[in-house]
Amino acid sequence: MVPVISFSADCPSRSGLTPYFIRTAWNDSSQAEAIASLVQKYNWREVVPVYEDDDDTNIKFIPDLVDALKQVDTRVSYRCKIHPSATEDDMKTAISNLKQNWTSVFVVRMSHALAQKFFQLAKDEGMMTQGFVWITAYGLTDIFDVVGSPALDVMQGVLGVKPHVQDTVELQNFRQRWRKKYRLQNPGTSLSGPTVSGLYAYDTIWALALAAEKAGFVNSDFRPSLTKNGSTDFDRIGTSKAAEKLRGALLKVLFFGISGKFHIQDMQLVSSNYTIINLVGQERREVGFWTPGSGISGSPKMKSDLNTVVWPGYNETAPTAPRGWLFPTNKNLTIGMPVKPGFEEFVGFDNGTATGFCVDVFEAVVNDLPYHVPRHYREFGDGKGSSNGTYDELVYEVYLKNYDAVVGDITILANRSSYVDFTLPYTESGVRMLVPVQDRRQKTAWTFLRPLTADLWLGTGAFFVFTGFVVWSIEHRINQDFRGSPASQIGSVFYFSFSTLVFAHREQILNNFSRIAIVVWLFVVLIVQQSYTASLSSILTVEQLQPTVTNLEEVVRNGGNVGYLNDSFLPGLLKRLKIDESKMIAFDSPVEYDEALSSGKVAVIVDEIPYLKVFLSKYCQKYTMVGPTYKFDGFGYAFPRGSPLTPDISRGILKFASDDRMVKMQKDLYGETSCPDKDDSQTSSSLTLQSFQGLFIISGASSVLALILHAVITIYNNRHEFNSDGSQSPWRRWPAILSKLFHGDDSPSNTPDKDEAAAENAGSAVETPLSIRIPSHIVEHMSDTDTGSPPEGEGTPGRELSVQDTEPLSFAYMHSERGQNRAASLSRSGSSIRRRQISME
C-alpha cells in the first residue's frame, strides 16, 4: 500500500482505519470553531445549518459545527437538509419551513450548483433582506471564483470563511502563470484564479516530491494484507517497504509553500487561520480573521474589531447587526392567561379584554421593544369563570405549543422551568404568613412605673440621694440652709435632692463646687425626665398591635389550621414544613381570607407576598405579615424553551422596574400607603439603666471630683490646725480636727442676724405679709428711745419698716432653732410697733 492523500476537507479522515490515509487539507473542526466564534461575536443564540444531504460531504462537518456552537451557548434546534437531486419545488418547501422558524441565522454548506439555485429561490422568497444572516463554510465560499457574477447577484451580504493564505510575491507570480495557462486550455472560463484547494494540492505535490527524494529507492515488492475481512477496500490492499518509508518521510516534511506552512500532524495538515469575507456588490471584502489562539479579530497579527460588515438588505453599513431572529411570517403570538376569580387585580378578562397588573406590565415592556410583537390573549378557562386546569397544566400548554406564551401571576418554579423558559421576575418574591393582630396594652394603677426598668428606678433614686449628700457635704459648713439638727439636715438632703426632679429647689448654693455638681445633675435629670415622659406617652396612647402567632411551629403545637390560596404550589411547601394535610384549607379570595381569620377557622394564611400585600391594602388594621420569608422567584412570563423573546422581555423588565410607571402601577395595586408589619418592634419597651449609663457616670464623676476638691482645699486652708497642738498623737489629733472642720460654722456675714437689722432701714415699702406701714413720728420716737438719735421734725413723711429679709427664707432655715427664734422676735417687734401706733393715734 502507498500513502493515499486527500486534498479536500469534505472527505472524512480515515486515520483510525488505516495508517496510510493522509489528509493535506484544512481541518473541518477548526472551520466549525471559526464559524462558532463569529456567531458568538454577535451574540446570536440559535443557528440553523442548511446543508446538502450527502453523507460523504457533511458526515463530519455538521457534528463538529453543532459541538462548536454548544461551546458558545448557541442552540441548533432545527436542521435543513437539501438533497442533491432536489427539485425547485422541494427547495421552495424547505425555504418556506425556514421562514416559519424564528431563527434568522443560517450556516450553509453545499455544492456550487445546488447553492446557486438555493440562494436564488431564497432571494425570491424575501430571505435575502434585512434581519437575515447567511454564513457559508469553505467549499462553498469559493463559489465566487468558480461561478462568478451569477453567484454574486444572489448572495449580497453573505459572510463566508475560507483558509487564510498570505498574499506573497511567489503566490502572485503563481496566479499569473496559472491564469495564463488555464485560460489558454479553457477559453471562456469564469474561474478567475486557483482556489485554496488548488493551492493545497500544489503544495502537496511538492511535499510528495520532497518525501520521495528523502526516501530514496527501496524495493517495491508488495506484501499481502493480513486483514481478509476489513470494512473498507483500504484494509485489503497490500503494503510495501517503499510505501512505509515514503509515509515516514512525508510525515516529517516541513516547508513553506504557496499556501503557507506545510506540516502534517495526526495524519492531517495542521489547522490554519481563516479569513472572513463579506460579499458586497461585485467584490469580496476581507472583514476579519480567525486564529486558533485569538479567535475573531480584524487583523491576523493583533486583536482588533472587525471591519465594516454589510448585511443582507443593506447597501451600506447597518446601524446594528441583525438580532438573529425574526417573527415568523404572518405569525401572531397566542398568549394564554389564567383564570383568577379571587384576585382580579393581577389578571382578568373584562368583556374579552385582558386586564390586571400582570397584563399592564407585560404590555408596557413589549411596547418599549424596538420591534413590533403581534399578539392576542386567550383565557385558559371555560368562559364561565372557571379554569380549564391548574397553573402547572397551563404552563405545560406552552410546552405543547398550544400557546406561544403565558402572561399572568405565574410563579417561577423549578419543575415548571423544565418545560418553559421564564423571564426575570417582575414582582416581589417570597412566601410569608398572614395573621390577626390584637392590642396588648394593659393599663393598671402602676402603669406609670413601666417607662423605666427596676434597675433604672433604683439607680436614679440612688443618684438623687448621692447628689444631695455631696451638695450637703460641701455646703453645710458655710450655708445656714444646710445646718441644724441631724433630723433637719437629713430632711434638707432629701428635700433638696428630690426637688431637683421638678426643678423646685429654693436653697441657695454658695460653693462653686456644689454648683458644678448641681448643673451636671440637672442635665441628667432633664434627659431622664424627658425620656420618661415620651415613653409614658407612647405606652398610654400608641396602639401596641401584636400578632397572635409568630411562627408555624406555634400553629402546629396548638393544632391550628393553615389556610392557603387555591390552585397554587403552597401545599407542597406546607408539607415540607411538616404541616399535616388535614390541617390545610384552601381559599379563593381576600374575602374568604378575612372570614376564615376572623372566625378562627384558620390560625394563619400562608401565601405569596404580592397576594398578601393586596389583601392588607383592604384589611390593614386587622392583620399583618409575620414570620420568615420563604424564598421563591416571584411572578414571571413563560415562553417556549429557546424563545428569542425571553431575553429581550427580561431586559425590558429590568429597565421598566426602575421606571416611574412601575411605581405608579404598584401604587394602584397595593394602595398609596404601605401597611407596616406589626411586630414586637412596635411595642414601647421600658428604658434601661444601660441607656443612661454614660450620663450617670459623668454626673457621679463630677460630684465625686467636686467633693474631693472641696475637701482638699478646706484642709489646705486650715492646715495650721494640724500643727497647733503637738502633745497628742497625729492619729488621735487629726480625726478630731477633721471632725471640727467638717462640723464647723464658716457662715458668711450675710446671715439672718444681719437681716434683722433691716427693720431700721426706712424709705421703701416691701409688699410682704410681714411688712408693716409705720408713720414717721413713730419711727422717730423709736429711734430716740432705742438708739438715742436726734428726733426729726414732725413734718417728716411716713416711712415703711420691713421686718422680712429681702429674699425668701429657705425651708431648712425656717425649721431650724435659729429661724424659729427669729420669727418669734419679728412677731414681738411687729406687735410692739402696732401698739405704739395705736396709742399715739
Side-chain angles (χ1 to χ4, degrees), residues 109-419:
R109 179 167 178 170
M110 56 182 65
S111 63
H112 296 161
L114 191 63
Q116 185 176 356
K117 296 178 183 178
F118 178 83
F119 277 104
Q120 181 63 60
L121 293 174
K123 181 179 180 181
D124 295 341
E125 293 293 328
M127 295 187 68
M128 301 299 296
T129 56
Q130 296 179 8
F132 290 94
V133 179
W134 297 91
I135 303 174
T136 61
Y138 190 71
L140 178 57
T141 304
D142 58 4
I143 189 176
F144 317 123
D145 298 320
V146 177
V147 178
S149 180
L152 298 176
D153 294 339
V154 298
M155 297 179 67
Q156 290 294 302
V158 172
L159 291 175
V161 295
K162 70 173 185 177
H164 175 65
V165 177
Q166 189 173 358
D167 192 14
T168 61
V169 176
E170 292 80 2
L171 178 59
Q172 293 176 3
N173 294 334
F174 176 79
R175 283 174 175 168
Q176 290 179 359
R177 298 195 309 270
W178 187 91
R179 290 192 192 100
K180 182 177 180 180
K181 185 174 182 179
Y182 188 81
R183 289 178 179 177
L184 182 64
Q185 296 176 354
N186 301 278
T189 182
S190 59
L191 191 61
S192 58
T195 63
V196 176
S197 299
L199 299 180
Y200 280 131
Y202 184 82
D203 286 343
T204 300
I205 299 302
W206 271 102
L208 279 173
L210 292 174
E213 182 180 1
K214 186 175 181 180
F217 176 77
V218 180
N219 188 355
S220 60
D221 293 340
F222 280 84
R223 294 174 296 183
S225 175
L226 300 177
T227 303
K228 302 299 182 180
N229 298 316
S231 59
T232 65
D233 292 339
F234 291 103
D235 298 324
R236 293 188 291 272
I237 298 177
T239 61
S240 68
K241 293 183 179 180
E244 293 178 0
K245 195 169 184 180
L246 180 61
R247 170 184 172 275
L250 183 61
L251 294 177
K252 297 178 181 179
V253 169
L254 175 62
F255 71 98
F256 285 88
I258 294 177
S259 62
K261 182 179 179 180
F262 189 97
H263 176 55
I264 297 176
Q265 185 176 352
D266 296 331
M267 305 303 293
Q268 59 186 2
L269 197 64
V270 174
S271 299
S272 63
N273 302 337
Y274 284 86
T275 301
I276 301 172
I277 64 171
N278 183 207
L279 184 59
V280 181
Q282 296 297 313
E283 63 177 347
R284 291 167 296 170
R285 299 179 182 176
E286 290 187 356
V287 296
F289 302 88
W290 179 87
T291 59
S294 302
I296 296 293
S297 177
S299 170
K301 298 181 179 180
M302 58 182 296
K303 194 71 175 179
S304 61
D305 292 335
L306 291 178
N307 298 324
T308 301
V309 177
V310 177
W311 304 101
Y314 291 94
N315 295 324
E316 55 185 15
T317 305
T320 57
R323 62 176 179 265
W325 61 274
L326 294 171
F327 276 101
T329 305
N330 302 322
K331 172 75 173 180
N332 278 358
L333 291 182
T334 301
I335 300 176
M337 292 184 58
V339 177
K340 199 76 170 181
F343 287 89
E344 293 85 357
E345 294 87 351
F346 289 99
V347 61
F349 257 86
D350 185 10
N351 296 325
T353 303
T355 60
F357 174 77
C358 302
V359 177
D360 294 341
V361 173
F362 182 78
E363 286 292 322
V365 171
V366 170
N367 291 334
D368 287 343
L369 295 177
Y371 48 86
H372 177 63
V373 181
R375 57 198 178 275
H376 69 277
Y377 296 93
R378 183 186 299 171
E379 190 177 25
F380 186 62
D382 57 4
K384 301 178 181 180
S386 299
S387 177
N388 284 340
T390 64
Y391 274 44
D392 289 339
E393 293 172 346
L394 173 59
V395 171
Y396 195 70
E397 290 292 315
V398 177
Y399 177 77
L400 298 177
K401 297 184 178 181
N402 294 326
Y403 294 116
D404 297 309
V406 170
V407 171
D409 49 344
I410 308 296
T411 305
I412 302 173
L413 299 175
N415 64 319
R416 294 173 181 174
S417 62
S418 301
Y419 304 100

Side-chain angles (χ1 to χ4, degrees), residues 350-581:
D350 185 10
N351 296 325
T353 303
T355 60
F357 174 77
C358 302
V359 177
D360 294 341
V361 173
F362 182 78
E363 286 292 322
V365 171
V366 170
N367 291 334
D368 287 343
L369 295 177
Y371 48 86
H372 177 63
V373 181
R375 57 198 178 275
H376 69 277
Y377 296 93
R378 183 186 299 171
E379 190 177 25
F380 186 62
D382 57 4
K384 301 178 181 180
S386 299
S387 177
N388 284 340
T390 64
Y391 274 44
D392 289 339
E393 293 172 346
L394 173 59
V395 171
Y396 195 70
E397 290 292 315
V398 177
Y399 177 77
L400 298 177
K401 297 184 178 181
N402 294 326
Y403 294 116
D404 297 309
V406 170
V407 171
D409 49 344
I410 308 296
T411 305
I412 302 173
L413 299 175
N415 64 319
R416 294 173 181 174
S417 62
S418 301
Y419 304 100
V420 297
D421 284 344
F422 282 100
T423 63
L424 292 176
Y426 56 91
T427 63
E428 188 176 358
S429 61
V431 173
R432 295 192 70 185
M433 294 190 304
L434 179 73
V435 300
V437 294
Q438 61 183 7
D439 189 359
R440 295 189 176 180
R441 292 180 300 177
Q442 296 179 355
K443 298 181 179 63
T444 65
W446 304 102
T447 301
F448 71 93
L449 295 175
R450 289 180 55 190
L452 308 183
T453 58
D455 57 349
L456 184 55
W457 277 114
L458 295 175
T460 304
F463 265 85
F464 271 114
V465 176
F466 173 72
T467 304
F469 171 77
V470 170
V471 173
W472 170 81
S473 299
I474 297 174
E475 290 285 330
H476 87 287
R477 296 186 68 254
I478 60 174
N479 195 333
Q480 292 296 328
D481 291 345
F482 291 91
R483 296 189 68 85
S485 63
S488 176
Q489 293 186 51
I490 294 174
S492 297
V493 169
F494 281 94
Y495 172 77
F496 172 81
S497 60
F498 284 100
S499 64
T500 58
L501 180 62
V502 290
F503 309 101
H505 54 285
R506 301 176 62 87
E507 288 79 2
Q508 294 185 13
I509 304 301
L510 303 179
N511 192 291
N512 287 332
F513 291 124
S514 302
R515 292 170 180 170
I516 293 173
I518 287 297
V519 168
V520 176
W521 173 244
L522 290 179
F523 175 74
V524 176
V525 169
L526 176 64
I527 298 300
V528 174
Q529 183 190 67
Q530 295 298 323
S531 302
Y532 173 85
T533 303
S535 180
L536 182 61
S537 299
S538 176
I539 292 174
L540 294 177
T541 59
V542 177
E543 286 187 338
Q544 296 177 11
L545 299 177
Q546 297 180 1
T548 56
V549 178
T550 57
N551 54 69
L552 281 175
E553 289 78 6
E554 183 179 351
V555 177
V556 174
R557 287 196 304 268
N558 297 333
N561 293 327
V562 178
Y564 66 92
L565 184 62
N566 194 17
D567 190 19
S568 68
F569 64 93
L570 292 173
L573 172 64
L574 295 176
K575 290 179 181 178
R576 292 196 300 270
L577 295 176
K578 307 300 175 58
I579 305 297
D580 190 85
E581 190 171 359

Side-chain angles (χ1 to χ4, degrees), residues 620-648:
C620 183
Q621 299 302 321
K622 299 170 59 178
Y623 307 100
T624 186
M625 287 189 291
V626 297
T629 299
Y630 302 99
K631 291 297 183 181
F632 287 90
D633 289 336
F635 297 163
Y637 303 118
F639 288 90
R641 297 291 301 273
S643 172
L645 274 176
T646 306
D648 284 358

